[in-house]
Amino acid sequence: MTARVLNPRALDASAITLSGLCMIHCLALPLLAAMLPLASVWAEAEWVHKAFVLVAVPLSGFAIIRSATSTGGLGFRLLALSGLTLLIAAAFLEPLHEVETPVTVTGALLLASAHIWRWSRHRNSNAHEA
């Protein structure tokens, strides 16, 4: 693995992008499905939501593990773990099917917020070092 892949800022940027794609899938695709029948296939596909979660868990999990020794890591870990828990629950627990979209959006927002917060902390700490 290269140092660039292990860069916390790159991890956070990737996680933020993934959370954004997840929210687009949950919120925008149903609107597009009303206008374009082909989009309804993607809007209703359960495998897409599960695929997002299966990519988010190792990506964010790695960032959570790396944050164990950093200042402010506890806040990041709590937000990120809360978001991941909601994403996993919405994707894989059938009883939550009726509330899947709001649970997923909440989880994605929590996870993205955690990564944005950590990303900005890294950016600010790098600015002070320069």
Side-chain angles (χ1 to χ4, degrees):
M1 243 181 219
T2 66
R4 184 172 190 103
V5 174
L6 299 176
N7 181 337
R9 290 175 62 196
L11 281 170
D12 291 329
S14 298
I16 293 164
T17 302
L18 186 60
S19 293
L21 290 172
C22 186
M23 287 191 297
I24 289 169
H25 167 73
C26 287
L27 299 174
L29 281 179
L31 294 174
L32 285 173
M35 295 181 281
L36 303 169
L38 181 60
S40 68
V41 173
W42 281 86
E44 296 299 322
E46 286 295 318
W47 69 267
V48 175
H49 186 180
K50 287 176 174 57
F52 276 128
V53 172
L54 291 174
V55 171
V57 167
L59 181 66
S60 290
F62 186 68
I64 290 166
I65 291 168
R66 286 196 50 153
S67 73
T69 59
S70 66
T71 305
L74 180 61
F76 167 75
R77 286 193 307 276
L78 289 174
L79 270 176
L81 286 171
S82 298
L84 276 178
T85 300
L86 290 175
L87 289 175
I88 292 167
F92 294 102
L93 296 179
E94 188 60 35
L96 294 179
H97 182 70
E98 294 297 319
V99 292
E100 181 178 350
T101 298
V103 171
T104 298
V105 170
T106 302
L109 285 171
L110 286 172
L111 189 56
S113 297
H115 285 288
I116 290 168
W117 178 50
R118 193 172 88 128
W119 184 58
S120 70
R121 289 178 61 87
H122 286 295
R123 201 170 115 212
N124 290 338
S125 67
N126 287 343
H128 293 286
E129 291 173 8

